[in-house]
Amino acid sequence: MCLCVLQTLASVCQGIQHITSALPYAEASTHTRQLFWGTVCATWLLTFVRQRGRRNFSIVDRVWPLFPVVLAAQWAYESRDSLFAAHEGAACAAQCKAIVGVVLVTVWGLRLCYNSVRRGDYNVGAEDYRWVHVRASIDRILPQCSAVRWAVWELFNIVFVSGFQLALLYLIAVPLHMLVRYPGVVARGTGNMAADKWSCAEVSLAALMAALLVLEAVADQQMYEFRQRKQQNKLTRAEAQAGFVHTGLWRYSRHPNVLCEQAFWAVLCVFCSMATGTDLGSFDNVYLLAGPVLLIALMWASVQLTESISRAKYPMYRAYMMQTSRLIPWKPWSNAQVINQAHAKL
């Protein structure tokens, strides 16, 4: 059985490699391929290392903030001759846009890593609380045979936990790879020579990405401060009654940090496409949208799980859901509006 599982995994890996290598601009160097597959294997194998007496499946969660940063650094190094050379005109503009993209992704990753460190996510034995519920859900639908349970879980572990999530991080970063390579394309005279300066749309998109990073940092800070006050028993009466953060940005959106992260990578994709003159409406370039779309789908499922846990844990969370928008910031509903909406559904 173990041999069959390994053979299946090898076939899946070969298929993904073949598909990836066929994508324009997404073709990876040998170093990038080694980095990707090495990280997949390492994160999978590290789940077998027991931390505080049990296996830990949050290894990829520790890698999540850093992997796009490492990819950006790898691609910048590979394109260093064109990225950091002295250019004029269109090549200079392309160079500036590429550097801005790399800096924004680096800031995103380092800030998220800092937030994870202060929350204790990198402590030995620390594991995302949702994995307990995921394991319980999978165990409920599996037969009692221990060998089948082990095989199915390990397949899920390497294909989804390690493989899919790292592939997703690679895909959301692929537009940046295209952008980092573009100064060299322009310098060789094969790019868009007319784009010799920043357009208003490109400046707006870059500013929007910076704003999204700030808003995500603010949301995470508000959550962190709430948890600190909760641990120190310094919550206000309203906060203590609720048990969860519902003020600040969280008053207008139940998941403002999730919204900002999704929007950041979607805007980055548009920014990179616009800066390189790539038509996202073309079928040949549709793969550039795969990362943002899959990220939205994954985070939507994650939010569903998080809210199901919160509903069971906090009695007032259902009322919070009725009054507050899920993602898009909006004015909270009043009690009267909630009651009227409930009557309308009867």
Side-chain angles (χ1 to χ4, degrees), residues 250-268:
W250 303 81
R251 182 170 182 263
Y252 304 97
S253 170
R254 302 200 299 271
H255 307 278
N257 52 349
V258 172
L259 170 67
C260 290
E261 181 150 342
Q262 291 176 347
F264 174 80
W265 291 105
V267 174
L268 178 69

Side-chain angles (χ1 to χ4, degrees), residues 231-250:
Q231 291 176 357
Q232 299 167 5
N233 294 320
K234 294 182 178 180
L235 295 178
T236 64
R237 183 177 180 181
E239 289 175 332
Q241 287 178 338
F244 53 88
V245 61
H246 61 282
T247 57
L249 294 179
W250 303 81

Side-chain angles (χ1 to χ4, degrees), residues 152-197:
V152 171
W153 180 257
E154 291 309 327
L155 190 64
F156 173 78
N157 184 16
I158 191 171
V159 172
F160 175 78
V161 179
S162 294
F164 173 77
Q165 292 193 85
L166 287 168
L168 172 58
L169 290 172
Y170 178 81
L171 286 172
I172 61 176
V174 160
L176 181 65
H177 186 204
M178 177 178 66
L179 182 63
V180 168
R181 292 177 50 173
Y182 198 65
V185 175
V186 176
R188 292 191 296 270
T190 56
N192 183 6
M193 304 305 293
D196 59 350
K197 56 185 177 181

Side-chain angles (χ1 to χ4, degrees), residues 104-234:
L104 287 171
V105 168
T106 302
V107 171
W108 169 86
L110 295 181
R111 190 216 62 84
L112 191 59
C113 183
Y114 164 73
N115 190 60
S116 298
V117 168
R118 67 176 179 172
R119 289 190 315 186
D121 294 347
Y122 287 91
N123 294 345
V124 175
E127 185 181 53
D128 192 315
Y129 68 95
R130 289 169 294 190
W131 280 118
V132 175
H133 299 271
V134 172
R135 284 196 293 268
S137 299
I138 292 178
D139 287 344
R140 279 196 297 267
I141 62 176
L142 292 178
Q144 295 299 316
C145 177
S146 58
V148 173
R149 283 174 175 264
W150 179 88
V152 171
W153 180 257
E154 291 309 327
L155 190 64
F156 173 78
N157 184 16
I158 191 171
V159 172
F160 175 78
V161 179
S162 294
F164 173 77
Q165 292 193 85
L166 287 168
L168 172 58
L169 290 172
Y170 178 81
L171 286 172
I172 61 176
V174 160
L176 181 65
H177 186 204
M178 177 178 66
L179 182 63
V180 168
R181 292 177 50 173
Y182 198 65
V185 175
V186 176
R188 292 191 296 270
T190 56
N192 183 6
M193 304 305 293
D196 59 350
K197 56 185 177 181
W198 287 70
S199 67
C200 291
E202 290 167 347
V203 172
S204 299
L205 290 173
L208 177 57
M209 285 188 285
L212 289 168
L213 290 178
V214 172
L215 289 173
E216 185 176 3
V218 171
D220 284 340
Q221 181 66 24
Q222 291 174 346
M223 173 65 79
Y224 176 76
E225 291 176 352
F226 173 83
R227 288 175 173 172
Q228 290 296 105
R229 294 197 304 273
K230 190 174 183 178
Q231 291 176 357
Q232 299 167 5
N233 294 320
K234 294 182 178 180

Side-chain angles (χ1 to χ4, degrees), residues 22-24 278-290:
L23 297 176
T278 303
D279 181 11
L280 285 177
S282 171
F283 181 78
D284 292 336
N285 300 319
V286 72
Y287 73 93
L288 293 170
L289 298 171

Side-chain angles (χ1 to χ4, degrees), residues 32 43 82 96-97 158 167 194 209 229 246 258 270 288-289 291 294 299 306 310:
T32 302
T43 53
S82 60
C96 292
K97 295 169 190 177
I158 191 171
M209 285 188 285
R229 294 197 304 273
H246 61 282
V258 172
V270 176
L288 293 170
L289 298 171
L294 288 174
M299 288 194 164
T306 300
S310 297

